[in-house]
Amino acid sequence: MDPTVHQHITLNGGADLQGFRQALRILTWSNIPPEQISWSEQESAEQFGGRQPLTFGMAGKPIILQRMAAELISNVVCHSLPGKYAMLYRLVWRMQHDEPRLLSATHDPLVMGLNQMASEVRRDVERMHAGLCFREINDAEIGERFIAWFEPEHFILEPAAKHFIERFRSLDWTILTPKGSLCWDRKELAIGPPVGRSASLEVVASEISWRTCHESTFNPAHVHIPTLRRYASQQATRKSWRNRSDAACGLIPAAWSRVDGVIEQETAMPAKRNLKESSAAAAEEPKSLAALNRVIEASPPMVEGSHKAVLGEGPMHPAIAFVGEQPGDQEDIEGRPFVGPAGKLLNRAMEEAGIDRKKTYVTNAVKHFKFVQRGKRRLHQTPTAGEVKQYRWWLEKELGFVEPKLVVALGATAVHALAGKALPIGKNRGPAKFGGFDGYITVHPSFLLRLPDEDARQREYKALVADLKRIDRLSHEASRA
């Protein structure tokens, strides 16, 4: 179809999972890229529509998604962020085209933002399950009935309903919220419109005896510590507090002294990055190396050790890019790659091989120094396979921006990051392929420093220089190609 055509999709307000699925089938099979689509929401009963009706393509044919992707979509459509549908479609588009394993790239900004949104929805459901407080009323026609008021942050009524049906199947109950209402008559569930908080709800009848139940099941460890901290400082809204059944029963104040110690311990721990404010911006990937570096610097480390990221350095579009394992103690102090003993040894070998380091790009597979403190010393720790995998997305994006002619993997960790799997250096030393890049596998210079025998060090140094000379020739050949 004409690539200039712009499609506008209008879905129901709230969590229109059915409408989004229908749109997804049509747009995916019609091969319409995300940048040609705009999304909006309306409160009408129309499930799916727009200024340009989507009557083209294979609208009736379903698409196959990974289970993780389907679950992520089901959660994210319940989020209150207006841009959620555009973000989800961009995810599906990328997975259907060039990146089928995109969900494993947990530090891709889009995946990171969507996972954060899904987590916020799940927490809201858990908060509703734990905090809803029913009150008993006597209806002249129906008889005994229970009513509750709750203020969710997201559109979670449908995913939260199953819990209340299973737990209170034999009771008549109604849950009222500003985002919709649920009504159960012991047989069927009805989903109704949103309602405002009624003053009569505060004084209606007498509260049923939920205290006994909550006293027997309440666990202060299940209370969210950052939320308690906000309550303590009186800086947050009181809406969740006044609706919590454990607060109404006076259980949280009674447990406060037990929670104080937990709060103090949690305060001393490294702060976790709050991604909630960046959820909307996460739909956009870094468009330059500078933007990517800002993301890396702002992100928490995925290894135990330093909180300072050591970024790559060197010219764009170099003939050679060297990828090491991770920063060392000296690199972490100076904030530059390959400036410690291993870096100095590499510089000497490069000079002997005729390679000008200033014309190469140098970086690391893992961007933070992983270490354990032993007195005044910081002992280097080898990153695990899982940690290398977590950092891999950053490395791939970095090399995509730098665009070297040849990528050199220095050591096993760099090989694992570039190849996506562990490969023994001895059997694979030499030319290689890393995705779309020509590559070369050799030892890390720190390997030479760890050899106890001087003859072995000299022998391995000559082998490293020989590798570097061959790397220089291959890079020139790649530049002429």
Side-chain angles (χ1 to χ4, degrees):
M1 63 175 293
D2 185 352
T4 63
V5 173
H6 182 84
Q7 299 299 326
H8 181 84
I9 309 301
T10 302
L11 301 179
N12 279 348
D16 190 358
L17 180 59
Q18 180 181 349
F20 178 70
R21 284 173 174 168
Q22 184 180 353
L24 197 59
R25 294 189 188 104
I26 295 175
L27 298 172
T28 302
W29 285 102
S30 301
N31 203 33
I32 303 177
E35 57 269 18
Q36 294 181 21
I37 305 170
S38 62
W39 301 80
S40 63
E41 300 177 46
Q42 63 182 14
E43 296 298 331
S44 71
E46 183 182 1
Q47 189 75 359
F48 179 63
R51 289 191 291 270
Q52 294 187 3
L54 297 178
T55 58
F56 49 82
M58 304 172 69
K61 188 172 182 179
I63 61 173
I64 300 175
L65 294 175
Q66 299 173 15
R67 181 177 179 179
M68 288 178 58
E71 291 177 354
L72 182 64
I73 291 172
S74 297
N75 281 310
V76 173
V77 295
C78 297
H79 202 277
S80 56
L81 186 71
K84 59 189 177 185
Y85 295 118
M87 296 172 66
L88 287 171
Y89 184 65
R90 182 174 287 108
L91 175 84
V92 174
W93 175 269
R94 289 173 59 185
M95 291 180 66
Q96 292 285 317
H97 287 74
D98 302 326
E99 302 172 84
R101 299 172 60 187
L102 178 60
L103 285 180
S104 64
T106 54
H107 270 68
D108 180 294
L110 177 60
V111 175
M112 189 163 49
L114 290 172
N115 283 333
Q116 176 67 19
M117 293 165 68
S119 177
E120 291 166 4
V121 168
R122 288 192 295 269
R123 283 201 301 269
D124 208 22
V125 171
E126 292 170 359
R127 186 172 64 90
M128 184 173 181
H129 288 168
L132 199 72
C133 183
F134 280 101
R135 301 167 191 262
E136 184 179 8
I137 61 173
N138 291 312
D139 189 292
E141 296 182 1
I142 301 176
E144 183 185 61
R145 187 165 185 81
F146 301 94
I147 191 168
W149 166 262
F150 192 76
E151 296 177 70
E153 296 181 9
H154 306 290
F155 301 97
I156 60 168
L157 284 187
E158 290 188 58
K162 182 179 179 182
H163 167 84
F164 296 107
I165 293 174
E166 292 178 348
R167 189 172 182 184
F168 309 120
R169 187 178 297 275
S170 62
L171 302 177
D172 287 297
W173 50 261
T174 298
I175 300 174
L176 307 175
T177 83
K179 297 185 182 295
S181 56
L182 297 174
C183 183
W184 174 252
D185 64 359
R186 308 187 190 187
K187 294 181 180 179
E188 295 182 352
L189 179 71
I191 300 178
V195 296
R197 184 180 182 89
S198 171
S200 63
L201 188 62
E202 297 291 339
V203 295
V204 66
S206 61
E207 189 171 317
I208 62 174
S209 58
W210 295 94
R211 179 182 178 88
T212 302
C213 171
H214 280 281
E215 284 180 339
S216 63
T217 61
F218 175 66
N219 182 352
H222 293 165
V223 179
H224 193 227
I225 291 175
T227 303
L228 279 182
R229 187 185 293 112
R230 290 198 300 271
Y231 291 143
S233 62
Q234 297 183 346
Q235 293 177 350
T237 175
R238 308 290 292 187
K239 67 180 182 180
S240 297
W241 174 267
R242 65 172 178 254
N243 291 313
R244 285 189 64 99
S245 50
D246 41 22
C249 295
L251 301 179
I252 289 180
W256 196 276
S257 60
R258 285 178 287 167
V259 176
D260 281 342
V262 181
I263 294 177
E264 291 174 2
Q265 293 178 18
E266 194 271 344
T267 304
M269 295 173 64
K272 296 181 180 179
R273 186 184 179 202
N274 181 9
L275 298 173
K276 185 172 183 179
E277 297 179 357
S278 63
S279 293
E284 298 297 327
E285 294 185 35
K287 297 296 191 296
S288 66
L289 181 60
L292 176 67
N293 284 340
R294 287 194 293 270
V295 172
I296 297 174
E297 289 180 313
S299 297
M302 290 168 283
V303 296
E304 293 293 332
S306 175
H307 286 256
K308 180 196 300 181
V310 178
L311 306 175
E313 66 177 26
M316 301 293 284
H317 314 293
I320 308 170
F322 289 96
V323 178
E325 178 190 62
Q326 67 167 350
D329 182 77
Q330 195 64 35
E331 285 82 2
D332 181 64
I333 294 172
E334 297 190 25
R336 297 181 58 207
F338 286 95
V339 293
K344 293 175 181 177
L345 181 61
L346 179 63
N347 288 346
R348 179 159 65 92
M350 289 171 63
E351 184 178 358
E352 192 169 329
I355 299 175
D356 186 352
R357 171 167 170 169
K358 293 180 181 179
K359 295 182 179 180
T360 67
Y361 187 86
V362 290
T363 189
N364 284 293
V366 173
K367 306 302 182 186
H368 296 86
F369 176 33
K370 181 181 180 180
F371 67 89
V372 291
Q373 194 79 38
R374 292 290 184 268
K376 295 183 179 180
R377 299 179 62 195
R378 301 194 299 178
L379 301 182
H380 166 275
Q381 299 290 299
T382 301
T384 66
E387 291 164 344
V388 173
K389 181 180 179 181
Q390 292 289 323
Y391 279 90
R392 190 182 183 203
W393 182 87
W394 282 344
L395 178 62
E396 290 177 342
K397 288 296 179 183
E398 179 182 16
L399 294 176
F401 289 127
V402 175
E403 294 184 332
K405 296 295 183 182
L406 186 71
V407 178
V408 179
L410 299 172
T413 297
V415 173
H416 193 166
L418 291 166
K421 59 183 178 181
L423 297 173
I425 300 295
K427 293 182 179 180
N428 296 278
R429 190 168 184 170
K433 268 288 187 181
F434 301 132
F437 291 104
D438 291 328
Y440 197 97
I441 296 174
T442 188
V443 297
H444 195 282
S446 61
F447 165 71
L448 280 65
L449 298 176
R450 294 193 296 268
L451 293 173
D453 182 71
E454 179 62 28
D455 291 339
R457 283 197 295 271
Q458 291 298 325
R459 185 169 59 253
E460 286 298 331
Y461 178 77
K462 291 179 180 178
L464 176 61
V465 172
D467 278 343
L468 291 173
K469 289 180 178 179
R470 190 178 181 189
I471 288 167
D472 188 40
R473 289 196 301 271
L474 291 173
S475 68
H476 286 304
E477 293 173 3
S479 299
R480 290 194 297 266

